[in-house]
Every structure is written in structure tokens, then in C-alpha cells.
Amino acid sequence: MQFRDLKTQYQVLKKDIDEAMIKVATDCNFISGQQVKDLEKELAEYVGVKHCVTCANGTDALSIAMMAWKIGEGDAVFVPDFTFFSSGEIVSHAGATPIFVDVDEKTFNIDCDSLEKAIIKIKNEGNLTPKAIIAVDLFGLPADFTKVREIADKYGLYILEDGAQGFGGQIKGKVACSFGDISTTSFFPAKPLGCYGDGGAVFTNDDELADLMRSICVHGKGAMKYDNIRIGLNSRLDTIQAAILSIKLKAFSDYELTDVNKAASLYTEKLSELSKEYNFELPYIPDGYVSSWAQYTLKLENEEIRNKLQSYLKEKDIPTMVYYPKPMHKQEAFNEVAYTQDESNLKVTENLCKTVLSLPMHPYLKEEDIDVVVREIKNFFSK
Ligand SMILES: *Cc1c(COP(=O)(O)O)cnc(C)c1O
């Protein structure tokens, strides 16, 4: 059983993907080919925003937003403590200070009470200027953007939606990567919409920001490529990746998003009794929300049970992952940050790192596989 089955996906899409890759090789338009422009249009339409600018990866996408807003030294950016390293790394890389805030124990997304507490603390201390909130759509579920927007408006902060795991998620019919002042995603192969290497994109409705970010992606270009008007990056999506993504985006919107949701419903249905009997929690999707299921994550009663279950499933050839074993504020890299994070405001994350376990999850997961996983979880607990 595969944790995320990219091989089956390729077999299903092989004919179209092979043709698309060979066309790029034949035309030799490896950089900035027409396929890149076409994809940007398709992505912007799918997400429902005015502009999409593709770039080299999801981490660059976040950095490009920081650069566009000129966030740097002396600025504070609020980041969930429970996320992939990038979400905080790019803040430090920009020279600003990441302030880690806790997540909700049910959705695992940014907790707005913890967020507001942290903002007030930074304002009262008076050493850093609060600038932006990075809200992550963790495991495919959009963050609570109604509340995040209220807080952003109240304190005059930008919202950066890190939709690296959230592409395809929805809140009341509105699609993920449309909730931030700038939103980003990643096309790393294992993400909900992945390419065959690294890739990423930024989204915005703001014309000026879109132009600025397009310039940043290509060495701060001005009217033309050899007219450089700002310091930028070399961060582009390869034509071959764009060609692959156009095909994958169609499959994603035609059936993959539906199928991955079917797989999630099957897990939830089949695990529901067991979870009550043995005291573990299944993923929680609030009313009106749709997840794109980057992960299907259980929350076990404690660390010992989580680790034992993981070893047991491994013996049975069922791959699982712990996303994430360490809170951001405990990552050694952030020891350099000249700000002492408020650990009393990060307790939910500390517990999640000890208790979460992600099961095999992808649109090509068969009911038979789900039955095997459920049976082995049952065997583990009834031992
Ligand atoms: C994967 C990921 C990123 C980074 O994306 P890359 O394309 O790997 O650079 C950023 N944030 C989150 C939440 C992610 O899961």
C-alpha cells in the first residue's frame, strides 16, 4: 500500500502526460513557454481570483509575498506553531520575526484567540511592528478565514494564506487560495495538486501586487528582462511542469477531489465506532467546509499509543506519517530568533505533535485498502 499513490495516477494519465512532456522537449520552450501562461489562467479561474503567478516552489511563493509587502527587520509575522517548516522559515529569511501562535485542537488550523493574544502582546511590548498573519490550510482544510479576516482588519495586518496543502479546499463554495491578500500554493509531488518536481504559485486580486510579484520572480525585471528595477529572485515554474499540471488540474477538478473526499468519508464511516470505543479522534471538518485531504490524520490518546500504533501498522506494511513531530517554536533553527516565544500560548500544538498520525490517503485509494487499514487499527486496539 502506498501512502500517496503517484504511480497509479501516472498510469491513469500516462498518455496525455507523455504527450505533453514530449511536446515541451520537441519545442524546446523549457522556460516561460505558452503552457505556463495557459496554466496561470486555468489556476486563476479555478481558484476564482484575478491573478496567478507561478514560481519555482511553495516556499518561494511565500517569500515572494514577503518581498512584495517589503516585510523585513523589525516586523512581526504571526505563524501557526503546527505547520511545515517553510511557513516560519520564510519569515526569518525575510529578516522579520516569526511569532508562533497555537492551533485549534479540532481543525489543527490557526487559533484566533491565541493569535489575538500574541498580537496584543507584541503591540504592548513595542519592539516589533505586527505586519502579517500567515494562515495555513493544514492537511487540506482551509483555516477559519472569517475570523482571521476580522482580526487582520482590527489590527491592520495582511493575510497570507499558505495553501500549500489546501489547494481545492472550500469554505461555503469559495475556493482555497482566494482567502489571503496574497495566497500561495505548492506543486510538490505529494501535495493535493502536484507536479513532477518542484513548483509553486501565488494568487491575488490586486493588479499592482500581481505585477510586482511577476517582476520579483524574474530578477526584479522592469519593462523587459534586461532592465532590472528591483532585487528579485530567479523563481519560475518550468514549462514541462506547467504542461503536466494542466493535465493534472483537469483530473483534479473532474474527479480526484471528489474521489479523495469519498475515501475520507469511507475512513470516517468505518472508523467511527472504533474511535469512540478506543478514544481516538477522527478529522473534523466544520460545516460549510470542504477539505482537499492532503492528509487524513487521527489524534490518539497519548504519545505511547500513537507510537505503538504506528509501529504495528508498519509491521503490517501500512505506511503512516507523523506530521509534525516538532512544534515550530522548538525547531533548533529558530533558536536564532531574538524573541522568546510564549510557550504558555502553544500547548495544543505540543500535544498534537505527540498524538497525531496520518494514514494512507489519495484519490486512488481503494475501498479494499481502507478496509485493510481499518481492520489493522481494530486488531491493534483489541489486542
Ligand atoms: C509543502 C509546504 C510548503 C512548501 O512548499 P515547497 O513547494 O515544498 O517549497 C509550505 N507550507 C506548507 C504548509 C507546506 O506543506
PDB file of all heavy atoms in Angstrom, residues 34-49:
ATOM      1  N   GLN A  34       4.383  28.874 -23.577  1.00  0.00           N
ATOM      2  CA  GLN A  34       2.948  29.204 -23.582  1.00  0.00           C
ATOM      3  C   GLN A  34       2.191  28.389 -22.520  1.00  0.00           C
ATOM      4  O   GLN A  34       1.227  28.873 -21.928  1.00  0.00           O
ATOM      5  CB  GLN A  34       2.375  28.939 -24.987  1.00  0.00           C
ATOM      6  CG  GLN A  34       0.894  29.304 -25.158  1.00  0.00           C
ATOM      7  CD  GLN A  34       0.613  30.789 -24.890  1.00  0.00           C
ATOM      8  OE1 GLN A  34       1.407  31.663 -25.246  1.00  0.00           O
ATOM      9  NE2 GLN A  34      -0.521  31.066 -24.247  1.00  0.00           N
ATOM     10  N   GLN A  35       2.640  27.161 -22.280  1.00  0.00           N
ATOM     11  CA  GLN A  35       1.957  26.300 -21.305  1.00  0.00           C
ATOM     12  C   GLN A  35       1.910  26.947 -19.916  1.00  0.00           C
ATOM     13  O   GLN A  35       0.986  26.698 -19.138  1.00  0.00           O
ATOM     14  CB  GLN A  35       2.672  24.934 -21.200  1.00  0.00           C
ATOM     15  CG  GLN A  35       2.545  24.063 -22.444  1.00  0.00           C
ATOM     16  CD  GLN A  35       3.697  24.268 -23.417  1.00  0.00           C
ATOM     17  OE1 GLN A  35       4.198  25.383 -23.584  1.00  0.00           O
ATOM     18  NE2 GLN A  35       4.103  23.196 -24.081  1.00  0.00           N
ATOM     19  N   VAL A  36       2.935  27.753 -19.586  1.00  0.00           N
ATOM     20  CA  VAL A  36       2.965  28.412 -18.275  1.00  0.00           C
ATOM     21  C   VAL A  36       1.850  29.456 -18.210  1.00  0.00           C
ATOM     22  O   VAL A  36       1.104  29.524 -17.231  1.00  0.00           O
ATOM     23  CB  VAL A  36       4.348  29.060 -18.005  1.00  0.00           C
ATOM     24  CG1 VAL A  36       4.342  29.794 -16.665  1.00  0.00           C
ATOM     25  CG2 VAL A  36       5.450  28.008 -18.033  1.00  0.00           C
ATOM     26  N   LYS A  37       1.730  30.244 -19.275  1.00  0.00           N
ATOM     27  CA  LYS A  37       0.667  31.272 -19.299  1.00  0.00           C
ATOM     28  C   LYS A  37      -0.708  30.619 -19.262  1.00  0.00           C
ATOM     29  O   LYS A  37      -1.616  31.073 -18.554  1.00  0.00           O
ATOM     30  CB  LYS A  37       0.806  32.145 -20.548  1.00  0.00           C
ATOM     31  CG  LYS A  37       2.055  33.007 -20.515  1.00  0.00           C
ATOM     32  CD  LYS A  37       2.239  33.793 -21.809  1.00  0.00           C
ATOM     33  CE  LYS A  37       3.663  34.291 -21.943  1.00  0.00           C
ATOM     34  NZ  LYS A  37       4.611  33.301 -22.544  1.00  0.00           N
ATOM     35  N   ASP A  38      -0.866  29.546 -20.031  1.00  0.00           N
ATOM     36  CA  ASP A  38      -2.166  28.853 -20.046  1.00  0.00           C
ATOM     37  C   ASP A  38      -2.510  28.338 -18.650  1.00  0.00           C
ATOM     38  O   ASP A  38      -3.636  28.494 -18.183  1.00  0.00           O
ATOM     39  CB  ASP A  38      -2.130  27.667 -21.023  1.00  0.00           C
ATOM     40  CG  ASP A  38      -1.999  28.129 -22.476  1.00  0.00           C
ATOM     41  OD1 ASP A  38      -2.219  29.340 -22.746  1.00  0.00           O
ATOM     42  OD2 ASP A  38      -1.666  27.294 -23.347  1.00  0.00           O
ATOM     43  N   LEU A  39      -1.524  27.724 -18.004  1.00  0.00           N
ATOM     44  CA  LEU A  39      -1.772  27.174 -16.669  1.00  0.00           C
ATOM     45  C   LEU A  39      -2.161  28.278 -15.681  1.00  0.00           C
ATOM     46  O   LEU A  39      -3.081  28.100 -14.874  1.00  0.00           O
ATOM     47  CB  LEU A  39      -0.529  26.430 -16.152  1.00  0.00           C
ATOM     48  CG  LEU A  39      -0.690  25.902 -14.715  1.00  0.00           C
ATOM     49  CD1 LEU A  39      -1.651  24.714 -14.670  1.00  0.00           C
ATOM     50  CD2 LEU A  39       0.658  25.515 -14.107  1.00  0.00           C
ATOM     51  N   GLU A  40      -1.464  29.404 -15.736  1.00  0.00           N
ATOM     52  CA  GLU A  40      -1.779  30.503 -14.800  1.00  0.00           C
ATOM     53  C   GLU A  40      -3.225  30.947 -14.962  1.00  0.00           C
ATOM     54  O   GLU A  40      -3.910  31.227 -13.987  1.00  0.00           O
ATOM     55  CB  GLU A  40      -0.800  31.666 -15.011  1.00  0.00           C
ATOM     56  CG  GLU A  40       0.602  31.326 -14.508  1.00  0.00           C
ATOM     57  CD  GLU A  40       1.630  32.428 -14.714  1.00  0.00           C
ATOM     58  OE1 GLU A  40       1.368  33.361 -15.522  1.00  0.00           O
ATOM     59  OE2 GLU A  40       2.703  32.353 -14.073  1.00  0.00           O
ATOM     60  N   LYS A  41      -3.676  30.964 -16.202  1.00  0.00           N
ATOM     61  CA  LYS A  41      -5.063  31.354 -16.454  1.00  0.00           C
ATOM     62  C   LYS A  41      -6.019  30.295 -15.879  1.00  0.00           C
ATOM     63  O   LYS A  41      -7.006  30.619 -15.217  1.00  0.00           O
ATOM     64  CB  LYS A  41      -5.264  31.484 -17.979  1.00  0.00           C
ATOM     65  CG  LYS A  41      -6.305  32.489 -18.346  1.00  0.00           C
ATOM     66  CD  LYS A  41      -6.285  32.828 -19.842  1.00  0.00           C
ATOM     67  CE  LYS A  41      -7.695  33.126 -20.294  1.00  0.00           C
ATOM     68  NZ  LYS A  41      -8.340  31.982 -20.971  1.00  0.00           N
ATOM     69  N   GLU A  42      -5.695  29.034 -16.125  1.00  0.00           N
ATOM     70  CA  GLU A  42      -6.554  27.949 -15.618  1.00  0.00           C
ATOM     71  C   GLU A  42      -6.607  27.946 -14.080  1.00  0.00           C
ATOM     72  O   GLU A  42      -7.673  27.755 -13.491  1.00  0.00           O
ATOM     73  CB  GLU A  42      -6.026  26.587 -16.107  1.00  0.00           C
ATOM     74  CG  GLU A  42      -6.180  26.376 -17.613  1.00  0.00           C
ATOM     75  CD  GLU A  42      -5.198  25.318 -18.159  1.00  0.00           C
ATOM     76  OE1 GLU A  42      -4.618  24.539 -17.369  1.00  0.00           O
ATOM     77  OE2 GLU A  42      -5.005  25.293 -19.393  1.00  0.00           O
ATOM     78  N   LEU A  43      -5.447  28.171 -13.470  1.00  0.00           N
ATOM     79  CA  LEU A  43      -5.403  28.165 -11.997  1.00  0.00           C
ATOM     80  C   LEU A  43      -6.186  29.340 -11.413  1.00  0.00           C
ATOM     81  O   LEU A  43      -6.932  29.177 -10.446  1.00  0.00           O
ATOM     82  CB  LEU A  43      -3.946  28.221 -11.507  1.00  0.00           C
ATOM     83  CG  LEU A  43      -3.110  26.951 -11.696  1.00  0.00           C
ATOM     84  CD1 LEU A  43      -1.632  27.245 -11.448  1.00  0.00           C
ATOM     85  CD2 LEU A  43      -3.574  25.836 -10.759  1.00  0.00           C
ATOM     86  N   ALA A  44      -6.018  30.517 -12.005  1.00  0.00           N
ATOM     87  CA  ALA A  44      -6.731  31.702 -11.506  1.00  0.00           C
ATOM     88  C   ALA A  44      -8.243  31.486 -11.630  1.00  0.00           C
ATOM     89  O   ALA A  44      -9.011  31.819 -10.727  1.00  0.00           O
ATOM     90  CB  ALA A  44      -6.293  32.945 -12.271  1.00  0.00           C
ATOM     91  N   GLU A  45      -8.651  30.896 -12.749  1.00  0.00           N
ATOM     92  CA  GLU A  45     -10.077  30.612 -12.941  1.00  0.00           C
ATOM     93  C   GLU A  45     -10.590  29.604 -11.909  1.00  0.00           C
ATOM     94  O   GLU A  45     -11.643  29.791 -11.315  1.00  0.00           O
ATOM     95  CB  GLU A  45     -10.304  30.026 -14.344  1.00  0.00           C
ATOM     96  CG  GLU A  45     -10.946  31.013 -15.299  1.00  0.00           C
ATOM     97  CD  GLU A  45     -10.822  30.551 -16.750  1.00  0.00           C
ATOM     98  OE1 GLU A  45     -11.034  29.344 -17.024  1.00  0.00           O
ATOM     99  OE2 GLU A  45     -10.493  31.407 -17.595  1.00  0.00           O
ATOM    100  N   TYR A  46      -9.827  28.544 -11.714  1.00  0.00           N
ATOM    101  CA  TYR A  46     -10.250  27.513 -10.775  1.00  0.00           C
ATOM    102  C   TYR A  46     -10.413  28.097  -9.364  1.00  0.00           C
ATOM    103  O   TYR A  46     -11.384  27.820  -8.667  1.00  0.00           O
ATOM    104  CB  TYR A  46      -9.243  26.352 -10.756  1.00  0.00           C
ATOM    105  CG  TYR A  46      -9.652  25.238  -9.809  1.00  0.00           C
ATOM    106  CD1 TYR A  46     -10.495  24.220 -10.255  1.00  0.00           C
ATOM    107  CD2 TYR A  46      -9.235  25.226  -8.486  1.00  0.00           C
ATOM    108  CE1 TYR A  46     -10.906  23.215  -9.378  1.00  0.00           C
ATOM    109  CE2 TYR A  46      -9.638  24.234  -7.611  1.00  0.00           C
ATOM    110  CZ  TYR A  46     -10.478  23.230  -8.067  1.00  0.00           C
ATOM    111  OH  TYR A  46     -10.878  22.249  -7.198  1.00  0.00           O
ATOM    112  N   VAL A  47      -9.434  28.915  -8.985  1.00  0.00           N
ATOM    113  CA  VAL A  47      -9.438  29.475  -7.627  1.00  0.00           C
ATOM    114  C   VAL A  47     -10.438  30.630  -7.507  1.00  0.00           C
ATOM    115  O   VAL A  47     -10.970  30.887  -6.429  1.00  0.00           O
ATOM    116  CB  VAL A  47      -7.993  29.907  -7.245  1.00  0.00           C
ATOM    117  CG1 VAL A  47      -7.973  30.774  -6.010  1.00  0.00           C
ATOM    118  CG2 VAL A  47      -7.114  28.670  -7.047  1.00  0.00           C
ATOM    119  N   GLY A  48     -10.684  31.295  -8.621  1.00  0.00           N
ATOM    120  CA  GLY A  48     -11.621  32.414  -8.593  1.00  0.00           C
ATOM    121  C   GLY A  48     -10.974  33.719  -8.169  1.00  0.00           C
ATOM    122  O   GLY A  48     -11.583  34.533  -7.476  1.00  0.00           O
ATOM    123  N   VAL A  49      -9.713  33.917  -8.569  1.00  0.00           N
ATOM    124  CA  VAL A  49      -9.044  35.205  -8.322  1.00  0.00           C
ATOM    125  C   VAL A  49      -8.568  35.772  -9.658  1.00  0.00           C
ATOM    126  O   VAL A  49      -8.504  35.062 -10.662  1.00  0.00           O
ATOM    127  CB  VAL A  49      -7.826  35.088  -7.367  1.00  0.00           C
ATOM    128  CG1 VAL A  49      -8.252  34.615  -5.996  1.00  0.00           C
ATOM    129  CG2 VAL A  49      -6.765  34.177  -7.952  1.00  0.00           C
TER     130      VAL A  49
END
